[in-house]
Amino acid sequence: MAWDPAEELAHLLHEAVQNERNGATPPANTAKIPVIDGSGNHPLGGLTKITAGLPPLSPTPPRGRRRPRSRKRAIGALRTTSFFLAALAAVVVSMVCVFSGMVSYDPLRHVAQYRTYGNADRWWPLLVYGPWLVASLSILRAALHRRRVVHSWAVVLLFSTVSMLLCVAQAPHTPVDVAAAALPALASLTCFQQLVRQITLTRPPLQTKPRHRTRPTPPRRPTGQRPA
């Protein structure tokens, strides 16, 4: 009689269903398990007992280059020093600009003393230093956002020049007096430019594109052929 695999599989499934209904577990096939002695101990039973008492393995750290702590501390100290110097420069620039405005106030007020009515000459220097201050704040904001503002620099240069010329016009025509009259506006402008440089050094601009465009090199023509 020929062996039918489908009939054999159906018979095994029928026996499994009957055993599951009766609540009996199918007998384990121990014929293929090697034993050491007649007690039925598995040869790897001792190994499982030994490994069960071992601590769990710790997860392997990701493979990556770790910077030494000394280098991180050096970078942190360098950044802290850089920010401290920038803050100190901001304080010095503020002091110079305020003192320059105080020195230039009287010459600018004297220019408008006989050209305005009432007490308007007290506020007339604001027409010079007001646009200068607004443009300076625009430059500082653009420096923080890593942008360039040419028109704001033009406004600062224009009103610094106006303040310098008006102060020089009110001073005696001697080299020392002319230099003393022009120095406040020049000093405030120079200090402000250096403050902007400090900010740009603290936060350097990002260059997403190269400055010089490289042209693709044309393919070389084989020797002995003329161009069409």
Side-chain angles (χ1 to χ4, degrees):
M1 185 176 180
W3 175 70
D4 190 0
E7 184 178 356
E8 183 70 19
L9 179 60
H11 179 68
L12 293 175
L13 291 175
H14 180 70
E15 289 183 355
V17 171
Q18 291 295 333
N19 293 331
E20 186 177 357
R21 288 179 180 178
N22 297 331
T25 56
N29 187 12
T30 58
K32 296 181 180 180
I33 300 177
V35 296
I36 298 177
D37 49 12
S39 60
N41 294 328
H42 194 273
L44 299 179
L47 182 60
T48 56
K49 292 180 180 180
I50 296 173
T51 55
L54 295 177
L57 296 177
S58 58
T60 56
R63 296 181 179 179
R65 296 181 179 179
R66 297 182 178 179
R67 295 183 178 180
R69 295 183 178 179
S70 58
R71 186 177 180 182
K72 291 182 179 181
R73 292 178 181 177
I75 294 176
L78 183 62
R79 290 181 179 177
T80 304
T81 306
S82 177
F83 281 111
F84 174 75
L85 292 177
L88 183 61
V91 173
V92 174
V93 170
S94 301
M95 294 174 60
V96 171
C97 291
V98 171
F99 183 73
S100 174
M102 293 174 60
V103 173
S104 303
Y105 178 77
D106 286 337
L108 294 178
R109 187 179 63 83
H110 185 70
V111 171
Q113 185 175 5
Y114 302 101
R115 297 173 179 85
T116 56
Y117 299 97
N119 296 327
D121 57 336
R122 297 180 180 180
W123 302 99
W124 194 86
L126 186 62
L127 298 178
V128 178
Y129 283 101
W132 187 92
L133 181 60
V134 173
S136 301
L137 295 177
S138 300
I139 293 173
L140 291 177
R141 184 172 178 268
L144 291 175
H145 290 278
R146 304 179 184 181
R147 296 180 181 178
R148 296 180 179 179
V149 277
V150 181
H151 56 280
S152 298
W153 276 111
V155 172
V156 169
L157 290 175
L158 175 62
F159 282 91
S160 296
T161 305
V162 169
S163 176
M164 188 184 305
L165 293 178
L166 292 178
C167 291
V168 169
Q170 298 297 321
H173 298 285
T174 59
V176 177
D177 294 332
V178 169
L183 186 59
L186 183 61
S188 60
L189 178 62
T190 304
C191 291
F192 177 73
Q193 193 271 341
Q194 291 299 315
L195 176 62
V196 176
R197 289 288 299 171
Q198 290 286 336
I199 296 175
T200 54
L201 287 176
T202 305
R203 302 189 63 183
L206 298 177
Q207 296 181 0
T208 56
K209 296 182 180 180
R211 295 182 178 179
H212 304 284
R213 297 181 179 179
T214 57
R215 297 182 179 179
T217 56
R220 295 183 179 180
R221 300 173 181 174
T223 57
Q225 294 184 2
R226 297 180 179 179

